[in-house]
Amino acid sequence: MTTDPSARSPDAPLRSFGRIKSRAIKPRQAALFDTLMPLVKLPDPAAGPIDVSALMPGAQEVWLEIGFGGGEHLAVQAARNPSALMIGCEPFLNGVASALRHIEEGDLKNVRLHADDARAVVQALPDGSLDRIMILFPDPWHKARHNKRRLIQPAFAAELARKLKPGGRLRFVTDWKDYAGWALERFLATPGLVWLADETADWKVAPEDHVVTRYEEKRLGDTDPLFLEFERV
Ligand SMILES: C[S@@+](CC[C@H](N)C(=O)[O-])C[C@H]1O[C@@H](n2cnc3c(N)ncnc32)[C@H](O)[C@@H]1O
């Protein structure tokens, strides 16, 4: 697994995530890295373009969740939308272990995981290949000197837009006011993306299909969650 940050190439983007491991992973979950992970692992994006159609033949949609944390949202969405292929990326290994447990317990057949930086996956996906992109509570890096580590930067926003199909949607959720403003400014400046909000309620009220995770429940930010939804035109 390419999770050792010291192994990253010098031209890799700045780390947008914190720790990649915390407490010891329980033996049952650790075993899933050997048994289940090989079955659900996304092809290595460093090996070249990812052939999405080969990942789940017959998939009607392809979704990408960036930074799935413990995989609660990913697993619920996968169970609700069995005909959609769910690609989840997360470098935090305890989170990946938890996602593997959800996949096993839910007998989910439509999830593929990348246990590392989503930006490499986004680069390797064909343009116009995604129906939905979900970025939920990304690390806020709220001190000004850390803002450059934020996932949402102009070039990445443009790349995300290119990967969406026309009519595809991108959801960004944060409970940090400043990051919401930062992301909104950058997405609005991204060619091909249109913000779907008509009124305040559209960004203050959770979309119907939103799934609350334990992380969201902690309310670590400085505002109630803000939901930004964009469409690729
Ligand atoms: C604050 S947590 C939120 C987790 C989850 N989305 C939730 O709402 O419960 C943000 C997660 O994004 C992950 N992350 C940050 N940068 C990432 C990147 N470049 N690629 C994939 N995941 C990333 C972090 O490791 C972390 O687990």
Side-chain angles (χ1 to χ4, degrees):
M1 217 179 291
T2 55
T3 40
D4 174 6
S6 61
R8 285 165 196 279
S9 74
D11 55 356
L14 281 176
R15 256 178 81 149
S16 59
F17 44 90
R19 58 196 179 162
I20 57 166
K21 191 153 186 239
S22 61
R23 60 187 190 286
I25 295 172
K26 290 180 195 136
R28 204 188 119 224
Q29 287 188 18
L32 292 175
F33 277 100
D34 296 324
T35 54
L36 184 54
M37 190 63 179
L39 305 176
V40 300
K41 198 171 181 281
L42 199 70
D44 182 358
I50 296 174
D51 178 4
V52 186
S53 61
L55 296 176
M56 180 176 146
Q60 282 170 17
E61 293 196 353
V62 184
W63 297 26
L64 171 69
E65 182 171 349
I66 298 182
F68 58 68
E72 300 147 86
H73 172 271
L74 187 69
V76 172
Q77 294 291 9
R80 281 183 191 164
N81 301 281
S83 61
L85 167 67
M86 304 282 168
I87 300 175
C89 303
E90 175 55 66
F92 181 52
L93 294 182
N94 300 68
V96 177
S98 159
L100 287 170
R101 181 175 53 81
H102 286 300
I103 294 171
E104 188 196 39
E105 287 176 0
D107 194 22
L108 301 170
K109 305 293 184 210
N110 55 334
V111 183
R112 298 294 177 272
L113 301 182
H114 177 66
D116 206 337
D117 198 323
R119 290 171 292 188
V121 170
V122 171
Q123 211 176 15
L125 286 170
D127 286 357
S129 59
L130 298 176
D131 293 273
R132 299 193 68 178
I133 299 174
M134 309 283 219
I135 306 173
L136 311 178
F137 302 91
D139 297 274
W141 299 110
H142 53 87
K143 290 183 185 152
R145 69 176 191 280
H146 288 151
N147 284 177
K148 56 183 181 295
R149 294 194 175 277
R150 286 178 166 172
L151 188 65
I152 305 309
Q153 304 291 342
F156 189 56
E159 200 173 18
L160 290 174
R162 282 199 306 276
K163 304 298 160 162
L164 283 172
K165 292 177 186 164
R169 288 195 177 192
L170 182 151
R171 178 174 299 166
F172 176 95
V173 187
T174 183
D175 54 6
W176 288 91
K177 255 184 262 170
D178 173 58
Y179 200 4
W182 165 290
L184 182 57
E185 203 178 304
R186 282 150 186 80
F187 284 132
L188 287 177
T190 300
L193 282 188
V194 170
W195 189 25
L196 292 175
D198 290 325
E199 50 191 54
T200 312
D202 292 337
W203 44 280
K204 289 203 161 167
V205 176
E208 266 179 25
D209 66 347
H210 179 62
V211 177
V212 178
T213 65
R214 277 176 305 161
Y215 181 85
E216 175 177 347
E217 277 171 356
K218 289 184 192 164
R219 294 297 178 103
L220 298 176
D222 61 359
T223 180
D224 288 337
L226 301 170
F227 301 86
L228 305 181
E229 190 103 11
F230 302 87
E231 186 173 302
R232 175 82 163 96
V233 288

